[in-house]
Amino acid sequence: MPLGLGRRKKAPPLVENEEAEPIRGNLAGADMGPFGLAAMQPGLPPPPPGLRPRLVFHTQLAQGSPTGRIEGFTNVKELYGKIAEVFKIPGSEVLFCTLNTHKVDMDKLLGGQIGLEDFIFAHVKGQKKEVEVYKSEDALGLTITDNGAGYAFIKRIKEGSIIDRIQLISVGDMIESINGQSLIGCRHYEVAKMLKDLPKGRVFVLKLIEPRKAFDKISQRSGGGKLGTSSQLGTGRGTLRLRSKGPATVEELPSEFEEKAIKKVDDLLENYMGIRDTELAATMVELGKDKKNPDELAEALDETLGDFAFPDEFVFDVWGAIGDAKSGRY
């Protein structure tokens, strides 16, 4: 549908001075590829389950454990279930996973890509906390993300913010409830909106669950930096690309153009919508890199990401960002 002709308008951002980043993805079976796993061939059915290559990852509990092997999962929730089976704990105990480090390092959060040789560390529930917060400013200084399986947690704390001044609250803390309202099953943007809508000048109560601490008692407040888009996770030659819809695929590391374009589009998402989402940005770049004009990009976005109802001005800026990256105007 041409720009400006009946395209739905996006509502105002849910979060103005707070950010949110989702963690979500599918690991569905795919045809054989160059690394023994990957890519879907258009128009061809996947091979029978018995003939599909096995994707095996190694895992440990972040606080220390023997090494386990997991396979046979098709999405993040099933991944947590497999981890729980290996370590004989309830699946509900897993808060989130980091790649190649046991620390609560949000730059290594399991997100849109997993290197084929990445080692998965699972962070499980630790101490429960209840905190009263006086909302003296509109912005609390939080970045909220979720684990893709029903838990929202703190990804970043802005220095000097309301939350930064409360030492009991740390990066990695799961937000269990706000003023007694359970947040189990909520997505990151729902939690962020609730926090934004809390009235200024009043006290609210957060119930939190921190990740169980590792043996070295590392500091969790220092781990809240922005998710880096310029560095690639993993040690393998390829990465497993997780998608919100459709199967995962094994791909070569992104080209310089793709890296820069994803960064630019991710910045636009933050400016227009108050979220950062590298998976969403990568999908938009993939949809737009071969399009000839903004109208074709708009149609592709409507077809694949219609639920977001991106406004026309945002689509124009995305088109420009992809074009700049193609031309080397970084």
Side-chain angles (χ1 to χ4, degrees):
M1 183 179 296
L3 290 173
L5 297 180
R7 297 187 70 249
R8 292 174 289 170
K9 293 290 183 178
K10 178 68 181 173
L14 296 178
V15 191
E16 295 176 355
N17 295 313
E18 301 173 39
E19 302 168 295
E21 294 190 40
I23 305 170
R24 53 182 189 241
N26 269 322
L27 299 178
D31 279 348
M32 292 291 288
F35 299 97
L37 176 73
M40 271 310 229
Q41 301 296 321
L44 295 179
L51 297 180
R52 295 177 190 175
R54 293 169 58 192
L55 174 62
V56 179
F57 286 98
H58 291 86
T59 183
Q60 288 182 359
L61 298 179
Q63 77 272 14
S65 75
T67 298
R69 290 160 56 93
I70 52 174
E71 60 179 306
F73 49 90
T74 59
N75 54 52
V76 171
K77 190 171 183 178
E78 290 182 5
L79 164 63
Y80 296 156
K82 292 292 183 179
I83 292 172
E85 287 178 14
V86 167
F87 297 112
K88 296 180 172 57
I89 60 175
S92 59
E93 287 293 298
V94 182
L95 294 180
F96 56 84
C97 295
T98 49
L99 302 176
N100 307 315
T101 179
H102 69 282
K103 296 183 178 181
V104 183
D105 183 347
M106 294 294 116
D107 286 343
K108 302 297 184 180
L109 198 64
L110 189 155
Q113 296 183 78
I114 305 177
L116 297 185
E117 297 179 13
D118 276 339
F119 199 106
I120 300 173
F121 287 88
H123 298 256
V124 300
K125 291 180 180 179
Q127 181 179 344
K128 291 192 174 188
K129 304 181 285 191
E130 184 171 316
V131 186
E132 290 188 349
V133 181
Y134 177 68
K135 189 174 183 181
S136 58
E137 305 170 20
D138 290 327
L140 294 169
L142 285 177
T143 295
I144 306 297
T145 188
D146 65 57
N147 70 351
Y151 293 162
F153 59 95
I154 298 171
K155 186 176 190 295
R156 187 173 64 210
I157 298 173
K158 184 178 180 180
E159 186 176 355
S161 64
I162 295 173
I163 298 299
D164 188 47
R165 296 192 289 269
I166 304 174
Q167 289 298 308
L168 194 59
I169 301 177
S170 298
V171 167
D173 285 354
M174 169 194 157
I175 305 177
E176 186 177 26
S177 69
I178 300 175
N179 287 336
Q181 181 176 346
S182 174
L183 301 178
I184 306 302
C186 291
R187 295 301 310 274
H188 66 286
Y189 52 83
E190 295 173 302
V191 176
K193 185 177 188 302
M194 288 179 64
L195 290 168
K196 178 180 181 295
D197 290 345
L198 290 169
K200 184 178 175 181
R202 295 187 185 178
V203 173
F204 65 94
V205 178
L206 286 177
K207 284 190 176 181
L208 307 165
I209 302 178
E210 68 181 28
R212 189 175 301 170
K213 290 183 171 61
F215 298 134
D216 60 0
K217 305 295 184 184
I218 53 100
S219 170
Q220 292 170 264
R221 291 185 69 85
S222 63
K226 266 189 182 178
L227 178 65
T229 55
S230 59
S231 62
Q232 296 302 321
L233 301 177
T235 55
R237 290 176 53 230
T239 62
L240 183 67
R241 170 81 185 280
L242 309 183
R243 303 175 188 273
S244 301
K245 299 177 180 179
T249 56
V250 169
E251 303 173 354
E252 295 286 347
L253 294 178
S255 65
E256 184 180 12
F257 148 68
E258 289 170 327
E259 288 183 16
K260 299 300 182 180
I262 290 168
K263 174 65 168 59
K264 281 176 170 283
V265 174
D266 200 24
D267 289 343
L268 288 173
L269 284 169
E270 181 179 12
N271 292 336
Y272 276 87
M273 302 177 65
I275 67 172
R276 296 189 73 89
D277 185 343
T278 53
E279 180 200 346
L280 177 59
T283 299
M284 296 175 75
V285 170
E286 185 176 321
L287 290 172
K289 63 184 181 182
D290 296 325
K291 298 299 181 287
K292 297 178 181 179
N293 55 60
D295 284 334
E296 289 187 3
L297 173 60
E299 291 177 359
L301 292 177
D302 279 345
E303 182 178 350
T304 305
L305 302 169
D307 291 344
F308 287 90
F310 297 117
D312 291 346
E313 57 270 22
F314 174 75
V315 176
F316 276 116
D317 283 350
V318 169
W319 172 256
I322 295 173
D324 285 348
K326 275 185 179 180
S327 303
R329 296 190 293 272
Y330 301 143

